[in-house]
Amino acid sequence: MLTLPPLSLYIHIPWCVQKCPYCDFNSHGQQGELPQAQYVEALLQDLHNDLGYVQNRKLHSIFIGGGTPSLFDAKQIKVILDGARKAIGFEDDIEITMEANPGTLEHDDFAAYQAAGVTRLSIGVQSFSKDKLNLLGRIHDENEAVTAANTASKSGYNSFNLDLMHGLPNQSFDEAMADIDTAAELMPPHLSWYQLTIEPNTLFHSKPPQLPDDENLWHIYEQGQKKLAALGYQQYEISAYAKPGFQCRHNLNYWQFGDYLGIGCGAHGKITQPEKDVITRTVKIKHPKGYLNTEDYTFETSEVLPEDRALEYLMNRLRLMTPIPKIEFEQRTGLSADVLTDGINKSISRGLLSESENHWQLTSKGHMFVNDLLSQFID
């Protein structure tokens, strides 16, 4: 039987200074003054329209992403958060993360965002190499990245994250390891370390850069993991590493098949309705012009059919390194764990999974071949 999971809120702010050549997110280069107040008003109306999905829950976490949310004034971020608190309410220990790019932060504004209610920053550094930052189209330099991280560390936030990429154009092994070393010196409680991938509808897709070959990519990944572990970072998700107690609660709720409202241009949501035995996905209008000129912000609503729930759950949950509780599967999907029996047995026979009375656990081989594992659950 379906059980209500924790409820999070994702807020999308779609503008950035300029579009990066690798980015396939719903973001738009800034042209002139941003319509901050108008967009914030639309966000709060969008949230109001979704209040029927709340079902007497308080917000477990909030993530303000983009684009570049730090292009918005702290006072506008406060209006959004105050509106969410008034409309829904916050759990006592709510985590509120805002993405920020070093090149768009006036560093004396860190305290203002904190005063607005932000408890955690996620800073898009990507690399500390001037050459690599230029190739990635980033608007900040290596010194701004260091300054932003140092300022965040001293500003009293509960936590902050640094985004790092590896497998960059013409990146050597030593350059990739140097980025980790520089990041670690700044003592972030959380690191996101992920490989650059070439996505459709990006400039890099139409004009591919020279990336490290597969052998070098694997060497960077394998040794980078060892280095992060030696530095005290625990890998808890495919591309997320944290000091003990500093995992991102918002992302954990995503991967554990929790619920989240999505407001803003192109934002996605996922909502469980136990009384109806329904799991609903929502998508909001993608383009800012369309979003700002409507009173119905929803572009599409769809139902996760019962026959699709098991695979959708696993596609999310297998990103995490922790054992999978069988009761969590049943509560989040409304299905009996028995529906997975065939796939579990095939996965065990291939050495991808182990099973105990109450849990399933990926083996080290399973973590390396997640797609192969998922294929065992497709008829």
Side-chain angles (χ1 to χ4, degrees):
M1 178 178 176
L2 282 173
T3 302
L4 275 180
L7 178 67
S8 295
L9 171 64
Y10 176 73
I11 302 166
H12 191 75
I13 295 178
W15 292 282
C16 50
V17 174
Q18 65 183 27
K19 186 82 170 178
C20 295
Y22 60 86
C23 178
D24 69 336
F25 293 160
N26 182 30
S27 59
H28 303 264
Q30 179 181 359
Q31 296 180 347
E33 187 175 351
L34 295 177
Q36 294 193 40
Q38 183 185 3
Y39 190 72
V40 168
E41 182 179 355
L43 284 173
L44 293 177
Q45 184 58 50
D46 189 357
L47 181 63
H48 177 79
N49 292 354
D50 278 357
L51 291 181
Y53 293 134
V54 173
Q55 302 168 92
N56 298 314
R57 289 174 288 182
K58 292 184 178 181
L59 288 174
H60 171 79
S61 64
I62 297 175
F63 196 100
I64 309 171
T68 306
S70 53
L71 287 175
F72 271 37
D73 297 336
K75 63 182 181 181
Q76 296 295 348
I77 300 298
K78 178 174 171 54
V79 172
I80 299 169
L81 296 178
D82 286 350
R85 183 191 294 272
K86 182 178 179 181
I88 302 177
F90 294 173
E91 293 181 0
D92 291 340
D93 58 347
I94 188 171
E95 174 193 86
I96 303 176
T97 302
M98 187 184 80
E99 289 184 335
N101 287 342
T104 60
L105 272 171
E106 296 294 338
H107 299 308
D108 58 0
D109 277 350
F110 274 75
Y113 288 117
Q114 186 183 22
V118 176
T119 67
R120 181 179 181 272
L121 285 178
S122 182
I123 303 173
V125 170
Q126 314 310 353
S127 176
F128 292 97
S129 161
K130 180 179 180 179
D131 172 58
K132 298 300 181 284
L133 289 170
N134 288 335
L135 287 170
L136 293 172
R138 306 298 289 178
I139 64 171
H140 67 273
D141 61 29
E142 64 276 24
N143 294 323
E144 288 176 305
V146 171
T147 299
N150 276 327
T151 306
S153 179
K154 298 172 183 176
S155 294
Y157 284 89
N158 292 348
S159 182
F160 71 97
N161 167 66
L162 297 183
D163 266 353
L164 279 181
M165 300 174 73
H166 60 91
L168 304 179
N170 304 311
Q171 186 179 48
S172 69
F173 171 79
D174 288 342
E175 288 174 326
M177 296 303 103
D179 272 348
I180 293 177
D181 288 334
T182 303
E185 289 172 3
L186 299 168
M187 297 184 291
H190 190 285
L191 275 171
S192 297
W193 188 63
Y194 51 94
Q195 182 180 321
L196 171 65
T197 56
I198 306 302
E199 302 292 347
N201 302 314
T202 64
L203 181 60
F204 273 0
H205 189 264
S206 59
K207 298 179 179 179
Q210 182 66 45
L211 301 181
D213 61 32
D214 287 346
E215 184 176 348
N216 284 323
L217 286 172
W218 176 249
H219 185 49
I220 288 170
Y221 176 71
E222 186 178 45
Q223 296 304 312
Q225 280 196 316
K226 291 180 180 179
K227 180 180 284 287
L228 287 164
L231 290 165
Y233 290 94
Q234 298 174 352
Q235 184 183 19
Y236 70 95
E237 188 258 344
I238 288 175
S239 58
Y241 304 77
K243 295 293 180 71
F246 287 97
Q247 295 91 340
C248 177
R249 295 180 66 207
H250 187 84
N251 286 344
L252 282 174
N253 195 36
Y254 276 165
W255 308 136
Q256 290 168 342
F257 215 50
D259 279 0
Y260 47 96
L261 302 173
I263 62 172
C265 295
H268 290 238
K270 178 246 171 192
I271 298 296
T272 303
Q273 296 173 283
E275 292 184 1
K276 299 179 181 180
D277 190 28
V278 166
I279 298 175
T280 301
R281 291 198 179 276
T282 61
V283 183
K284 302 301 172 65
I285 293 171
K286 186 173 183 178
H287 199 278
K289 286 185 178 179
Y291 186 85
L292 289 171
N293 288 281
T294 186
E295 294 182 357
D296 182 6
Y297 303 93
T298 301
F299 172 73
E300 183 179 56
T301 301
S302 59
E303 181 180 336
V304 181
L305 299 175
E307 57 266 31
D308 296 329
R309 291 179 190 173
L311 186 60
E312 285 217 19
Y313 170 87
L314 290 172
M315 288 174 66
N316 285 275
R317 192 57 174 78
L318 290 176
R319 290 185 64 95
L320 297 177
M321 302 298 163
T322 52
I324 303 171
K326 295 178 181 179
I327 188 64
E328 180 186 274
F329 171 82
E330 294 182 340
Q331 291 174 341
R332 301 293 164 90
T333 65
L335 305 172
S336 167
D338 293 341
V339 303
L340 295 180
T341 298
D342 287 347
I344 294 294
N345 289 339
K346 287 189 287 186
S347 300
I348 291 172
S349 69
R350 287 166 172 76
L352 303 171
L353 203 67
S354 63
E355 182 177 23
S356 66
E357 182 179 356
N358 297 315
H359 295 84
W360 302 296
Q361 173 69 67
L362 271 73
T363 62
S364 56
K365 180 181 177 182
H367 283 299
M368 292 172 60
F369 299 101
V370 171
N371 288 338
D372 187 28
L373 193 156
L374 283 170
S375 70
Q376 309 308 312
F377 298 90
I378 300 174
D379 293 331

